[in-house]
């Protein structure tokens, strides 16, 4: 089915920063896609292309990217009889050949990914199946599980203008019996936390960060976890709701001192207050031992693999998630996978740039027996594709922000509808969110051509 129209425009993400939306027209209709961007960006991520004209959008404009899509990508796809939109890998390979670079420095992840997603949606339309079922077909999966949501309840780090170094504190309703019940648990606990924070800390601490969590102005993460634990206890879900942490430690690692600066937002850093690597490791071991922590993301700098290994050995039951460490890149996963550095992949599509490459990272993680957490970015749109991705891959976990702001809620509300209309064909992952799905014992070369090896 040939593409008859591909058009790009810039829109605004949930932070008011320009991002890309594309519309792909076929004989079956128009398929649109949009993607967001991150605030804390790993050094191994592929590049976004922005105008860098400081007189417009503080250098974050996307006029060049819009032009690239309309004048380079569109002519290559429109009326191309060779390309079959049902064959995602073929289409993505064509996009990669147009860019011609490993780090996407010509067309950018922000130019390639929305086109790749629109193609995936059009492929589902051609087959007249839901997008998540088309994704499942691409991977050879027919076990569609509704993911455990990771709701951001506290925002810090580069996501908020407070003094908290940790980027996110989240809750996971692992003990819910359905996605609908998980949503209710999350909503009730979030509202209780708001009231507790307002009562104890005042109205000024209930502003919202990029990912929809409360930007409480508390320095110590232990105090924040205490607040969250109190909300969970008052909600009556102590046995059903766990806590997850996204540290994003690379954001406050000071390479010149080889230490971590928990006051990194202070314009006048005090080296005497920095924490060395061993102290940080001991701090994590203490926190994991004292609290109901189920998952922790990026606890150390992205290249300190030995520290990751030490934490995994000290706390073998914790889900240790690689984000800046792995950047949804199968090559990075292959580097750290055999060493037992982590046991979960945080999959962010714009870290790599195409649907196929994201699936390649998913497959690579599964070959090591890792769990996978599908994730949003700090700047989001109302596109729900990552919810379809979580369903189609049976990943078991979806991190789509807090129960605040429509860009985040769009993903969760979409999954509510899927559960309601497909109750017989979908199950809620619940406490099995880390279990290795035996139907997804992929050979690492399955349906992936040599260009991605």
């Amino acid at each position: 089915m040939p593409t008859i129209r591909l058009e790009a425009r810039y829109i605004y993400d949930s932070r008011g920063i320009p991002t890309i939306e594309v519309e792909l027209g076929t004989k079956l209709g128009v398929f649109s896609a949009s993607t967001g961007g991150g605030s804390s960006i790993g050094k191994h991520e592929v590049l976004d292309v922005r105008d860098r004209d400081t007189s417009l959008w503080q250098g974050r404009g996307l006029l060049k990217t819009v032009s690239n899509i309309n004048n380079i990508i569109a002519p290559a796809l429109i009326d191309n009889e060779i390309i079959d939109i049902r064959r995602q890998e073929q289409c993505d390979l064509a996009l990669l050949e147009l860019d011609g670079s490993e780090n996407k420095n010509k067309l950018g992840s922000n130019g390639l990914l929305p086109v790749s997603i629109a193609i995936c949606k059009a492929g589902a339309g051609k087959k007249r199946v839901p997008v998540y079922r088309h994704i499942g077909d691409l991977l050879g999966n027919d076990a569609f599980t509704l993911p455990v949501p990771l709701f951001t309840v506290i925002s810090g780090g580069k996501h908020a203008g407070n003094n908290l170094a940790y980027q996110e504190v989240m809750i996971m309703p692992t003990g819910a019996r359905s996605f609908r019940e998980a949503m209710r648990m999350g909503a009730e606990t979030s509202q209780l936390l708001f009231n507790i924070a307002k009562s104890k800390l005042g109205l000024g601490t209930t502003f919202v960060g990029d990912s929809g969590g409360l930007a409480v102005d508390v320095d110590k993460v232990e105090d924040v976890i205490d607040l969250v634990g109190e909300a969970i206890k008052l909600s009556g879900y102590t046995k059903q709701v766990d806590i997850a942490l996204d540290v994003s430690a690379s954001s406050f690692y000071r390479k010149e001192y080889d230490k971590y600066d928990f006051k990194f937002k202070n314009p006048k850093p005090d080296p005497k207050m920095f924490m060395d690597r061993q102290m940080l490791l001991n701090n994590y071991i203490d926190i994991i031992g004292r609290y109901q922590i189920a998952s922790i993301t990026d606890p150390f700098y992205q290249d300190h693999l030995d520290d990751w290994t030490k934490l995994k050995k000290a706390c073998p039951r914790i889900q240790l998630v690689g984000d800046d460490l792995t950047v949804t890149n199968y090559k990075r996963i292959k580097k750290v996978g055999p060493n037992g550095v982590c046991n979960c992949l945080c999959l962010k599509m714009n870290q790599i740039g195409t649907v196929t490459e994201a699936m390649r990272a998913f497959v690579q993680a599964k070959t090591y027996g890792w769990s996978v957490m599908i994730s949003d970015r700090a700047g989001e749109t109302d596109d729900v594709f990552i919810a379809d991705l979580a369903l189609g891959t049976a990943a078991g976990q979806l991190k789509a922000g807090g129960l605040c702001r429509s860009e985040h809620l769009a993903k969760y509300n979409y999954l509510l509808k899927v559960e309601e209309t497909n109750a017989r064909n979908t199950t809620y992952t619940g406490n099995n969110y880390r279990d290795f799905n035996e139907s997804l014992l992929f050979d690492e070369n399955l349906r992936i051509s040599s260009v991605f090896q």
Side-chain angles (χ1 to χ4, degrees), residues 152-156 164 167-170 193 213-214 216 224 227-228:
T152 303
V153 291
I154 300 291
S155 292
L164 183 66
Q167 189 158 277
E168 292 174 277
V169 178
M170 298 162 283
L193 178 60
L214 297 178
V216 295
V224 171
L227 290 174
V228 176

Side-chain angles (χ1 to χ4, degrees), residues 139-421:
L139 285 172
N141 171 48
D142 60 1
F144 303 111
T145 57
L146 288 150
V148 169
L150 288 93
F151 299 120
T152 303
V153 291
I154 300 291
S155 292
K158 290 186 176 181
H159 286 191
N162 55 9
N163 287 314
L164 183 66
Y166 279 53
Q167 189 158 277
E168 292 174 277
V169 178
M170 298 162 283
I171 56 174
M172 303 174 65
T174 55
R177 294 165 295 181
S178 65
F179 189 80
R180 182 171 296 275
E181 186 174 62
M183 286 289 291
R184 178 169 58 79
M185 290 178 177
E188 291 173 356
T189 304
S190 296
Q191 290 300 319
L192 280 169
L193 178 60
F194 177 90
N195 292 333
I196 292 168
K198 182 173 65 174
S199 173
K200 291 188 172 184
L201 304 174
L203 281 172
T205 62
T206 56
F207 296 121
V208 176
D210 286 348
S211 293
L214 297 178
V216 295
D217 199 14
V218 177
D219 292 0
K220 293 183 64 179
V221 72
E222 292 90 340
D223 294 336
V224 171
I225 296 173
D226 284 334
L227 290 174
V228 176
E230 183 178 348
I232 292 172
K233 183 177 180 180
L234 286 175
S235 69
Y237 299 134
T238 302
K239 295 182 179 180
Q240 293 103 329
V241 175
D242 294 324
I243 297 174
L245 306 174
D246 183 351
V247 184
S248 190
S250 294
S251 297
F252 54 92
Y253 171 69
R254 291 194 178 271
K255 192 172 184 179
E256 64 272 28
Y257 296 96
D258 192 26
K259 292 183 179 181
Y260 293 89
D261 178 10
F262 280 78
K263 301 285 187 180
F264 76 101
K265 301 177 193 179
N266 189 324
K268 296 181 179 180
D270 182 3
K272 295 179 181 178
M273 301 300 292
F274 295 172
M275 188 178 290
D276 68 31
R277 293 160 65 173
Q278 184 61 47
M279 290 173 62
L280 183 58
L281 172 63
N282 294 340
N283 184 240
Y284 289 137
I285 294 172
D286 176 63
I287 289 173
I288 292 168
R290 289 168 53 196
Y291 298 101
Q292 194 170 326
I293 308 296
S295 179
I296 183 166
T297 301
D298 280 353
F300 299 104
Y301 180 65
Q302 53 211 336
D303 290 331
H304 288 169
L305 304 187
D306 53 339
D307 292 338
W308 286 74
T309 304
K310 290 176 184 177
L311 180 59
K312 187 171 180 286
K313 184 177 181 180
C315 304
R317 295 185 179 181
I318 200 76
Q319 177 173 261
L320 192 55
V321 188
D323 179 357
D324 291 344
L325 175 74
T326 48
V327 292
T328 316
N329 188 317
Y330 81 94
K331 292 182 179 179
R332 289 284 298 176
I333 298 168
K334 289 183 77 171
K335 178 180 180 180
V336 305
N339 302 322
V341 174
C342 65
N343 53 31
C344 179
L345 168 68
C346 182
L347 192 156
K348 295 178 176 178
M349 298 187 67
N350 79 324
Q351 287 181 331
I352 194 64
T354 65
V355 172
T356 298
E357 289 172 292
M359 289 183 177
R360 182 69 179 88
F362 176 88
V363 170
Q364 191 66 56
K366 285 296 184 182
T367 64
Y368 295 122
W370 293 4
S371 51
V372 177
M373 179 191 298
I374 307 297
S375 179
D376 65 347
R377 297 308 301 254
E380 268 298 325
T381 72
D382 58 2
D383 193 297
V384 301
F385 185 79
I386 63 168
D388 277 310
L389 188 65
L391 272 169
T393 60
Q397 301 174 67
L398 175 65
K399 178 176 176 284
L403 288 164
C404 176
R405 295 180 171 169
S406 60
E407 296 85 0
H408 307 296
L409 284 163
K411 285 79 168 169
Y412 298 132
N413 288 333
Y414 170 74
L415 291 174
L416 281 175
K417 295 176 184 177
V418 170
E419 182 177 59
E420 180 182 340
T421 57

Side-chain angles (χ1 to χ4, degrees), residues 433-444:
Y433 68 96
R434 289 183 65 186
D435 285 359
F436 190 59
N437 188 337
E438 295 297 331
S439 68
L440 297 180
L441 282 167
F442 294 118
D443 178 275
E444 67 175 32

